[in-house]
Amino acid sequence: MSKTKTETPVLRNSADIPWEENRPRHKVDKRIYVLLTVFLGWCGAHRFLEHRWKLGIFYLLVGWTGLGLAFALVDLLIALPIPKDENGMIEI
């Protein structure tokens, strides 16, 4: 009786994560996205721009606690290094 060793899959980069592959991506204007994140990020305005309604509502619900502001800061740090295309759009 031989035992077969099952190998765990090795994730090489973020594209190997299954939930990221299934997430719909939207093209948005980088300037508008960054401005909304800076000034109205605590209430999720940038999430409504990218058609992620559930996250936008979540930001509205937790915005008064300061968590919305912390999440918006993370979103800003993610969006800033993304290069824009010739039309000024980024894919989020």
Side-chain angles (χ1 to χ4, degrees):
M1 189 179 215
S2 66
K3 291 184 179 180
T4 58
K5 191 175 190 180
T6 58
E7 293 183 23
T8 57
V10 177
L11 298 177
R12 291 177 182 79
N13 57 31
S14 63
D16 292 337
I17 301 173
W19 61 268
E20 277 193 3
E21 293 174 3
N22 296 331
R23 186 172 70 87
R25 304 224 176 227
H26 299 281
K27 283 194 167 241
V28 294
D29 189 335
K30 185 174 183 175
R31 284 180 301 164
I32 294 172
Y33 185 83
V34 168
L35 286 173
L36 282 176
T37 305
V38 169
F39 294 111
L40 295 172
W42 62 271
C43 67
H46 61 293
R47 293 300 188 175
F48 289 112
L49 177 69
E50 59 176 301
H51 302 284
R52 297 187 73 191
W53 311 111
K54 291 178 186 176
L55 269 178
I57 292 170
F58 175 74
Y59 277 60
L60 279 173
L61 292 175
V62 300
W64 62 274
T65 65
L67 284 176
L69 187 61
F71 294 150
L73 179 63
V74 171
D75 292 337
L76 182 65
L77 292 174
I78 290 171
L80 282 177
I82 297 175
K84 54 187 174 181
D85 64 6
E86 64 275 355
N87 297 323
M89 307 292 269
I90 59 173
E91 193 172 332
I92 295 285

